[in-house]
Amino acid sequence: MKFKPLLLTLLLLGTGCDLFLSLLDRTPPTCIILFPPDSAIVSGVVLVRVEAYDSSRITAIDFYADGVLTATESSATAEFEWNTTSLEPGSWHRLFCIATDPAGNKGSSDTLNLQIARPGQQNIFHGKFTLNNNYYRWIDFSAGAGKRLAGESRAVNGIISRLSLLDADNFQQYRQHQSYSALYEQQNAAEMTLSYQFTTAGTYYLVFLNTTGTPQTYWARFTLE
C-alpha cells in the first residue's frame, strides 16, 4: 500500500504520529525495580523505586503487588509506596512492574520476592557481589547476647572458597594473616547455610574468601533475630 503525501503528513502529526510509530515499533520497553533488592526483609511503608527505558518514551508504569495492580505512574521513573502494615510477619510477597510505550508494547520487570519482618528481626545483608581471586569481603554487624544469626549464600557459577564468622579480635588476626579461631566456618561449596546464636554481645564479621583462581559472584542473605 502506498500513502499519498497528504495522508502521510497527517499520520506523522499529533496522535497520528503515535499511530504510525505503533505500526513500526514491536520492541517492548525495559522495566527494572531498583529498590528494594530481591529477598529483602521489609516492614511498614516500603518505597519501591522503578526505572523504565524505551527507544521512544514511556507512557506508563504499572506496579503490582501479589498480582494485583496497586498504582500507575506516567513517567520513565517512578516511586511507589507499598503499605505492608496489614501483612502477616514472616510472610512472602511478590512485586513486579510493567512499562508501556506509545506503541502499546509492554515490558515486565523481574519479580521480587520480599519477606515481611518478624518482631525483632533485623536485616544484616542481602544482595550480590563479585570477588576477584585471592580477595575477601566482610560484612560487619553488632549483635546482643542471645541473638541468632541465620542465612544462606551461594555462588552464581562456581564455589565459595570459605565463609567465616569471626568476633572482633579474630577478625583482626584474620586481616593480619595470623592464625584465628572462627565461631563458624564452611569451605568449598556452591551453597552454604549458617545458623549461630551469640552468647556475648559485640561486633562480629561475616567474611567471604575467593581462592578459586577466577572472579566469583556470590549471593547472600542474612538476618539477625
Side-chain angles (χ1 to χ4, degrees):
M1 178 183 294
K2 295 183 178 180
F3 290 100
K4 294 181 179 181
L6 179 59
L7 179 58
L8 181 59
T9 300
L10 291 174
L11 284 172
L12 293 175
L13 293 176
T15 57
C17 182
D18 283 347
L19 176 61
F20 182 72
L21 290 175
S22 68
L23 299 175
L24 303 177
D25 186 2
R26 292 292 184 268
T27 304
T30 299
C31 192
I32 302 171
I33 297 181
L34 301 176
F35 184 87
D38 190 30
S39 298
I41 295 172
V42 297
S43 62
V45 178
V46 181
L47 190 65
V48 181
R49 296 201 301 268
V50 181
E51 284 187 359
Y53 306 91
D54 189 71
S55 58
S56 56
R57 60 187 174 89
I58 299 297
T59 58
I61 297 178
D62 297 326
F63 171 58
Y64 291 81
D66 291 326
V68 177
L69 177 61
T70 303
T72 299
E73 290 286 347
S74 57
S75 61
T77 60
E79 291 186 347
F80 301 101
E81 290 186 350
W82 178 42
N83 192 338
T84 70
T85 54
S86 64
L87 300 177
E88 182 180 355
S91 62
W92 287 85
H93 300 270
R94 298 175 296 107
L95 302 185
F96 66 90
C97 293
I98 296 177
T100 306
D101 67 12
N105 300 309
K106 296 181 181 295
S108 179
S109 70
D110 291 338
T111 298
L112 303 187
N113 293 281
L114 305 178
Q115 186 180 31
I116 307 303
R118 293 186 290 269
Q121 189 176 34
Q122 175 187 346
N123 181 69
I124 296 301
F125 180 86
H126 52 260
K128 289 197 301 185
F129 57 92
T130 299
L131 280 180
N132 289 327
N133 182 48
N134 289 327
Y135 276 73
Y136 63 91
R137 171 176 176 163
W138 71 86
I139 301 164
D140 59 284
F141 61 95
S142 297
K147 288 288 187 178
R148 179 175 295 277
L149 178 70
E152 57 184 324
S153 58
R154 66 173 182 265
V156 175
N157 288 299
I159 64 169
I160 301 171
S161 299
R162 187 163 67 214
L163 171 61
S164 307
L165 175 61
L166 307 173
D167 61 23
D169 290 339
N170 281 283
F171 176 67
Q172 293 306 318
Q173 291 176 304
Y174 183 99
R175 297 199 68 189
Q176 295 167 14
H177 305 288
Q178 299 176 357
S179 60
Y180 65 91
S181 178
L183 299 171
Y184 190 96
E185 191 166 82
Q186 299 181 68
Q187 299 186 50
N188 300 323
E191 297 184 6
M192 297 181 178
T193 58
L194 186 156
S195 179
Y196 183 87
Q197 186 166 9
F198 299 98
T199 57
T200 58
T203 300
Y204 297 93
Y205 300 82
L206 276 170
V207 185
F208 290 82
L209 173 67
N210 175 25
T211 57
T212 63
T214 60
Q216 296 287 319
T217 298
Y218 300 146
W219 175 91
R221 180 177 183 268
F222 291 95
T223 60
L224 190 68
E225 300 182 42

